[in-house]
Amino acid sequence: MFRTQYDSDISIYSPEGRLYQIEYAMQAVAQGSTALGLKSKTHAVVVTLMRSSDELSSHQRKIFKVDGHMGIAISGLTADARVLLKFMRNETLHHKFVYGSDLPTGEVVSSLAMKSQRNTQRWGRRPYGVGLLVIGYDGDKTHLYQTSPSGNCFSYYAQAIGSRSQSARTYLEKNFKAFPELGLEELVLHGVKALKESSGKETLTKLNVGIAVVGKEQKFEILKPNKVQTYLDQILQTEGEIEIENENENEKDEAAETLELKLD
Amino acid sequence: METYLGEKQQASQWSPYINNGGSCLAVAGEDFAVIASDTRMSLGYSIKTRYSTKYLKITEKCSIVSSGMQADIFTLHKVLKSRAQIYEQKHGKPMSTDAVAKLVSRLLYYRRFFPYYTFNIVAGIDDEGVGCVFSYDAIGTLERVKYSASGSGSSLIEPVLDNQVALKNRNDIKKEDYKLTKENAIDLVKDAITSAGERDIYTGDFVEISIIDINGTHEDKFELRFD
């Protein structure tokens, strides 16, 4: 009711104690296409759906390497993401130069959160309109973090952001308990299946699905389209099997009904 | 400090530079390059450590070895490694060997008035797949060559390479008949640095040798004399 009165500037609170500009910025994240992340004890994976605005253009990249042990998937304003990516690359490279080791993922994300928060409290600045899913492997552990325009960051077992991400999140909520012990192949398959939930009418192809992995003895790597296709093929195969199973079950049900009628 | 008679006094001035010794060399073939350095780090007549690397792999197609002052070698290599990563992030692909060679030259000249006490050799595969070696002085003078040696053993190694790679001063062989194979080059490099280890007190302990070709870099290590 009071929204339009209290949303004209980042520095105005609403009577309920909300900063609408930040919430609008988070809406920008929700407008981007789906990006999801999940992790096991040994690997962390991001899977994204890459949009192309029309047939003539290329698909918008959503996954970027930050350092050998860390990468991000983005959703929202790509231009803002580039700025944050540059910041993260700088931080990790500087740490490597000065201390000779990989910068822990959690520390970069904290710096990023501080940086994002500054833009919610400074005159003339606006919040970054992009959410990041940061995956990394350091200190013998896998990491998955989500950052948002508000400056909040959380660690997750699995998370999905962007448009229609709720369907993917539901899938991840159902299955996440099994993730820690999974191998890389199965983990990626879960990621692609989750993406399928959010893809709606869009068909998943090797051109519009992006996958990246990082983990123990696995440097951050964005998978090539042909490798992506192998996972998509596996999904299609299992789907075919599920359809056949369903048909069999339907037949069984019909048989049971006729039996009951006969008994009567 | 001069006396009234114009003689110079013996008092030694403090110098920011020291020489930690060691030898480096590289040889380029038609489609490969071999690069090697010893690992001994000395100070005066003592050995500080038997293993201190002078070698850095920059990309799959390009490596650098440096002799001189270990502190400057370490720092130069650190800077180079970071710059290579920045390049790759900016351009989406690794640096070409020519780009690395130029970058090293510029990094060295940047310190024209307080140079890195390093004598570098860059070796690798160029964009056409041909082996190349670049040699430098302390302030970045750049020259592409077929082979090069630097460091305390360079005066022992360079004439050997002149004779065996460039076939200079030989009466027994015709240039047209001779082609440097990868196996010959590896053996030559191994023998050359081993021979330097025999006579040069600052060369010894271990050798890190790398063979670079179109398939990437293959790194190896072997022992020299420990005396």
Side-chain angles (χ1 to χ4, degrees):
Chain A
M1 183 169 51
F2 296 110
R3 263 172 99 110
T4 44
Q5 281 183 279
Y6 305 104
D7 67 354
S8 56
D9 201 90
I10 185 80
S11 55
I12 299 176
Y13 275 103
S14 80
E16 303 99 69
R18 291 156 72 167
L19 286 166
Y20 281 115
Q21 280 297 310
I22 298 180
E23 296 185 23
Y24 294 162
M26 280 150 78
Q27 263 301 108
V29 177
Q31 295 296 327
S33 64
T34 318
L36 59 97
L38 56 162
K39 67 177 191 185
S40 71
K41 278 205 185 119
T42 53
H43 292 90
V45 169
V46 281
V47 184
T48 64
L49 183 65
M50 299 187 278
R51 268 191 207 138
S52 77
S53 47
D54 53 58
E55 278 179 32
L56 293 173
S57 77
S58 61
H59 296 269
Q60 176 60 62
R61 262 184 81 190
K62 287 166 69 76
I63 303 176
F64 300 94
K65 180 174 169 182
V66 172
D67 200 350
H69 66 295
M70 192 193 308
I72 60 171
I74 68 167
S75 188
L77 298 177
T78 314
D80 282 4
R82 257 198 290 276
V83 172
L84 296 182
L85 174 66
K86 194 158 188 217
F87 173 77
M88 291 174 84
R89 282 179 172 169
N90 215 28
E91 294 285 292
T92 47
L93 190 59
H94 181 265
H95 185 95
K96 200 149 70 173
F97 183 82
V98 174
Y99 301 105
S101 65
D102 292 336
L103 180 58
T105 318
E107 288 185 31
V108 177
V109 171
S110 295
S111 311
L112 203 52
M114 280 296 288
K115 190 177 158 74
S116 300
Q117 192 281 341
R118 256 176 238 129
N119 277 30
T120 67
Q121 211 173 8
R122 201 145 289 190
W123 186 82
R125 306 293 300 266
R126 60 162 178 84
Y128 291 105
V130 63
L132 308 183
L133 287 173
V134 185
I135 55 166
Y137 185 81
D138 57 80
D140 291 332
K141 287 205 193 103
T142 50
H143 302 280
L144 168 64
Y145 292 95
Q146 182 200 358
T147 69
S148 83
S150 58
N152 281 331
C153 64
F154 292 107
S155 178
Y156 284 90
Y157 297 114
Q159 172 67 306
I161 56 175
S163 65
R164 293 194 291 257
S165 58
Q166 187 50 55
S167 327
R169 220 173 295 130
T170 315
Y171 177 94
L172 293 171
E173 277 167 19
K174 276 192 202 142
N175 292 287
F176 82 96
K177 291 234 162 72
F179 290 166
E181 303 301 328
L182 291 180
L184 179 61
E185 298 285 313
E186 291 164 304
L187 197 67
V188 175
L189 272 175
H190 272 296
V192 181
K193 281 187 199 154
L195 188 72
K196 191 156 196 328
E197 303 288 321
S198 300
S199 60
K201 289 200 190 120
E202 218 167 326
T203 0
L204 298 184
T205 71
K206 64 182 180 185
L207 290 176
N208 68 3
V209 173
I211 306 176
V213 303
V214 71
K216 195 172 178 171
E217 279 133 40
Q218 167 74 55
K219 284 209 172 303
F220 182 86
E221 187 191 335
I222 302 176
L223 301 187
K224 296 229 159 50
N226 288 334
K227 184 83 180 138
V228 173
Q229 188 62 49
T230 62
Y231 290 109
L232 293 174
D233 290 339
Q234 286 185 60
I235 304 290
L236 289 171
Q237 209 180 39
T238 21
E239 271 197 342
E241 286 166 22
I242 292 170
E243 278 177 20
I244 296 168
E245 271 179 39
N246 281 339
E247 282 173 23
N248 285 341
E249 279 176 19
N250 285 339
E251 283 172 10
K252 279 189 204 157
D253 284 341
E254 282 173 1
E257 274 183 352
T258 31
L259 202 59
E260 279 175 18
L261 285 169
K262 274 189 186 167
L263 285 171
D264 283 347
Chain B
M1 178 178 103
E2 286 197 32
T3 65
Y4 68 93
L5 280 174
E7 310 142 14
K8 288 218 166 77
Q9 290 266 350
Q10 296 281 13
S12 54
Q13 240 260 66
W14 177 84
S15 167
Y17 295 117
I18 52 165
N19 193 341
N20 293 117
S23 309
C24 304
L25 73 152
V27 173
E30 200 181 339
D31 57 355
F32 65 91
V34 185
I35 190 168
S37 60
D38 77 325
T39 65
R40 176 176 287 177
M41 184 190 145
S42 325
L43 188 57
Y45 286 118
S46 311
I47 295 177
K48 282 282 163 188
T49 176
R50 294 199 187 275
Y51 184 79
S52 170
T53 186
K54 298 206 235 311
Y55 160 83
L56 174 72
K57 182 171 97 164
I58 302 162
T59 70
E60 279 304 312
K61 302 251 166 85
C62 181
S63 301
I64 183 174
V65 288
S66 319
S67 60
M69 186 163 89
Q70 199 264 354
D72 278 353
I73 295 170
F74 183 66
T75 306
L76 179 65
H77 284 192
K78 264 175 75 171
V79 172
L80 199 51
K81 198 161 177 217
S82 290
R83 290 297 294 261
Q85 186 167 336
I86 291 170
Y87 181 102
E88 198 167 328
Q89 284 171 348
K90 197 170 176 188
H91 298 94
K93 61 178 172 127
M95 283 182 88
S96 65
T97 307
D98 291 292
V100 172
K102 206 55 181 286
L103 176 63
V104 170
S105 170
R106 284 189 53 234
L107 285 174
L108 293 170
Y109 194 81
Y110 192 69
R111 290 272 296 255
R112 172 66 178 83
F113 299 110
F114 184 9
Y116 287 110
Y117 195 112
T118 58
F119 301 99
N120 305 286
I121 307 175
V122 167
I125 302 286
D126 71 9
D127 291 326
E128 274 108 50
V130 178
C132 55
V133 170
F134 296 89
S135 73
Y136 302 81
D137 66 6
I139 55 166
T141 308
L142 173 63
E143 191 189 4
R144 180 169 173 170
V145 289
K146 284 255 174 256
Y147 59 88
S148 181
S150 79
S152 54
S154 63
S155 47
L156 297 163
I157 298 173
E158 195 86 36
V160 173
L161 299 181
D162 284 336
N163 183 266
Q164 294 293 316
V165 181
L167 304 170
K168 293 196 176 143
N169 308 311
R170 288 181 82 148
N171 298 313
D172 61 331
I173 202 168
K174 284 196 172 48
K175 261 196 182 156
E176 303 86 60
D177 300 336
Y178 185 76
K179 196 182 140 173
L180 186 67
T181 66
K182 200 188 292 185
E183 291 69 35
N184 285 349
I186 296 167
D187 286 339
L188 174 61
V189 164
K190 281 185 174 170
D191 289 346
I193 199 161
T194 311
S195 307
E198 291 288 320
R199 293 288 183 176
D200 175 28
I201 58 171
Y202 299 110
T203 303
D205 299 330
F206 299 100
V207 171
E208 286 176 318
I209 182 170
S210 239
I211 301 106
I212 307 165
D213 60 21
I214 201 88
N215 301 318
T217 308
H218 174 76
E219 290 165 1
D220 206 359
K221 189 169 149 179
F222 65 91
E223 284 185 10
L224 286 184
R225 294 180 68 123
F226 287 92
D227 66 358

